[in-house]
Amino acid sequence: MLNNLTFQVFIAATLGIVLAFGYQLIEPNGIEMVDNSISLLKGAFLALLKMLIAPMIFFSLIGGIISIGNVVRLRQLGGITVSYYLLTTGLAITLALVAVVFVHPWTAYPPIMASMVDASSARLLNPGSDSILAVLETMASLAFTNPFSALVNLNILGIVTNALFMGVAMVLVLDENSPLFRLVVDANKIIIQVLRWVIRVLPIGIFAILFDFTVRLSGDDGLGGTFLTQLFQFGLLVVTMTLIHGLIVLPAIAWITTRMSPLELLQKIASPLLVAFSTSSSAATLPVSMRAAEDNLDVSPGVASFVLPLGATMNMDGTALFEAVAAIFLAYLYGIELSGVMVVTVFLMAMIASIGAPGMPSASMSGMQMVMLAIGIPLEAIAILLVIERPLDTIRTSVNVEGDLIGSLIVDRYLKR
Ligand code: ASP
């Protein structure tokens, strides 16, 4: 249990809050040394997370696309597979956005971070401009940027677009033995190793972040407690909506298209779902998903080896749903009023961010920053999500993997028909 990351994060979070309260009681005015050390830890940890975003998204996405391996399959299966991915991810985000319109218990409390918004924080929309065309124009100019500038400036939309173009072009024009394929696979291995190291220190980061938030908020009439309640409510809504998508929406789509009953389906894919739940990684679950698809769902190996690896990086319904709810939740906490156009922006950004996120634990935190920037939420808000991120990742990864498996079933039956 002591080696379990989620458990460590839980302990670190509790320690951060309890020690911060104690610290406030003993030293209401704070001690400079302590404050500075906490701020150093927090800053270093957030910088560490940011360090990996650009290469991680870039290589993981190209890696996902080149796993398709050959042009013929890309032509045969590409269209239907990608349509399925986009449709189900869009459904998940719509579900999330409709749900938050009706259920947003955190608004019973004040937007406690409102004073922390930096008026100059970047956003896709100029305040006051309320036209979807303006958003699309900004998105287009960000998307079609040269790859080097996108990587250097952490322009995630640009990184995703370039990776998509390059990945597809690689499959179309390069020989299957080209060393470039090898290069991308190896680059991914290296990045994943570095990410593992970063994740090892997650508990330290969480400790510092929570200590800092509690000290900053507890000055204000017990706002620390309010914040935790709001966070809990947010987590509960995400879990509920993710379960609805995973237990009702996706099985219903499978039933409508293939007539496989939800119970039979869930039984047949239970083992990859459990592996996804316990590893929080779609990529790590891939071998088990392949076996379940071929042996239990009777999906042909050609389809499974196309749809599943691509889905493990591109198709993440749980992640998209989480990011959409998180954006709306954070916007409220920071007192940012959302117009209709901003909600549409959240939709589009959550979609792109979920496509860009690699199938690794907590990987969606990278794309989440793009969603936040788009509507003017300060980047430091990522710290709020990190606090509750670990337990939520288990369920959303299972739903991500479920989406891929159902995709392979549908594409397979469609082709057989
Ligand atoms: N852990 C997720 C996955 O591997 C990605 C994420 O949402 O962080 O599918």
Side-chain angles (χ1 to χ4, degrees):
M1 206 168 172
L2 281 176
N3 277 330
N4 180 311
L5 185 65
T6 308
F7 179 70
Q8 290 172 358
V9 167
F10 176 74
I11 296 290
T14 316
L15 268 181
I17 296 170
V18 172
L19 290 183
F21 273 125
Y23 173 65
Q24 283 275 294
L25 280 181
I26 302 167
E27 282 294 339
N29 295 325
I31 305 170
E32 210 182 323
M33 218 345 233
V34 175
D35 293 346
N36 289 346
S37 312
I38 291 290
S39 152
L40 169 70
L41 273 182
K42 183 184 132 187
F45 176 69
L46 290 177
L48 200 57
L49 278 183
K50 226 168 139 191
M51 177 180 93
L52 283 177
I53 298 176
M56 185 163 88
I57 294 184
F58 188 69
F59 283 108
S60 132
L61 205 49
I62 298 188
I65 297 172
I66 62 171
S67 66
I68 294 168
N70 86 48
V71 195
V72 183
R73 281 203 297 166
L74 176 64
R75 296 230 163 93
Q76 263 180 355
L77 305 177
I80 171 166
T81 307
V82 172
S83 312
Y84 164 85
Y85 290 163
L86 295 181
L87 189 84
T88 46
T89 307
L91 260 177
I93 304 175
T94 310
L95 198 67
L97 292 176
V98 171
V100 276
V101 169
F102 295 104
V103 187
H104 38 71
W106 51 82
T107 53
Y109 305 95
I112 54 178
M113 308 285 179
S115 59
M116 296 181 199
V117 188
D118 176 1
S120 67
S121 65
R123 61 168 82 185
L124 261 188
L125 286 164
N126 294 322
S129 96
D130 209 11
S131 128
I132 190 72
L133 284 180
V135 179
L136 290 179
E137 192 185 328
T138 319
M139 281 177 79
S141 66
L142 284 174
F144 307 130
T145 311
N146 94 59
F148 299 102
S149 119
L151 285 165
V152 170
N153 296 318
L154 213 60
N155 162 6
I156 298 179
L157 202 50
I159 298 175
V160 169
T161 319
N162 275 292
L164 285 175
F165 281 147
M166 283 183 199
V168 174
M170 277 172 78
V171 176
L172 290 180
V173 300
L174 290 186
D175 182 76
E176 270 179 47
N177 303 319
S178 160
L180 266 189
F181 288 121
R182 186 68 210 253
L183 180 104
V184 173
V185 172
D186 284 352
N188 269 317
K189 281 190 195 150
I190 297 170
I191 294 167
I192 285 172
Q193 180 55 50
V194 180
L195 182 68
R196 279 206 189 103
W197 288 330
V198 174
I199 296 213
R200 289 291 331 147
V201 297
L202 193 63
I204 303 177
I206 297 284
F207 168 80
I209 288 164
L210 270 190
F211 190 99
D212 179 62
F213 271 131
T214 315
V215 167
R216 279 204 268 168
L217 294 175
S218 62
D220 263 319
D221 306 331
L223 278 187
T226 304
F227 166 62
L228 290 181
T229 312
Q230 289 175 311
L231 202 57
F232 179 74
Q233 292 168 333
F234 158 72
L236 206 60
L237 180 67
V238 171
V239 170
T240 312
M241 296 321 295
T242 313
L243 287 177
I244 290 179
H245 189 72
L247 295 177
I248 300 174
V249 178
L250 285 178
I253 293 177
W255 183 74
I256 292 169
T257 48
T258 69
R259 293 284 145 192
M260 185 177 284
S261 86
L263 214 60
E264 183 188 353
L265 172 78
L266 290 173
Q267 256 169 8
K268 289 186 166 167
I269 59 174
S271 54
L273 296 194
L274 279 175
V275 175
F277 185 87
S278 48
T279 57
S280 292
S281 164
S282 310
T285 311
L286 200 50
V288 190
S289 307
M290 298 280 256
R291 225 184 38 220
E294 288 174 25
D295 295 354
N296 305 347
L297 296 177
D298 205 18
V299 171
S300 68
V303 171
S305 61
F306 178 91
V307 179
L308 294 176
L310 189 62
T313 42
M314 274 187 70
N315 180 43
M316 298 196 178
D317 296 4
T319 299
L321 189 151
F322 165 80
E323 295 192 346
V325 182
I328 307 284
F329 170 69
L330 290 178
Y332 176 76
L333 282 196
Y334 281 86
I336 296 169
E337 233 171 272
L338 289 173
S339 62
V341 173
M342 281 162 100
V343 175
V344 176
T345 311
V346 169
F347 180 97
L348 294 173
M349 287 300 181
M351 184 107 158
I352 296 164
S354 74
I355 292 175
M360 295 294 299
S362 296
S364 53
M365 291 296 105
S366 50
M368 187 63 219
Q369 310 200 24
M370 171 175 84
V371 187
M372 289 164 35
L373 274 182
I375 53 171
I377 300 169
L379 271 190
E380 71 148 31
I382 202 78
I384 297 178
L385 298 182
L386 280 173
V387 173
I388 194 163
E389 215 288 301
R390 294 303 316 141
L392 301 185
D393 198 6
T394 54
I395 302 173
R396 73 167 184 263
T397 306
S398 302
V399 171
N400 289 346
V401 169
E402 181 190 1
D404 301 341
L405 283 159
I406 293 180
S408 72
L409 176 73
I410 293 177
V411 172
D412 182 75
R413 297 305 188 268
Y414 173 80
L415 288 182
K416 281 180 182 154
R417 226 181 274 155

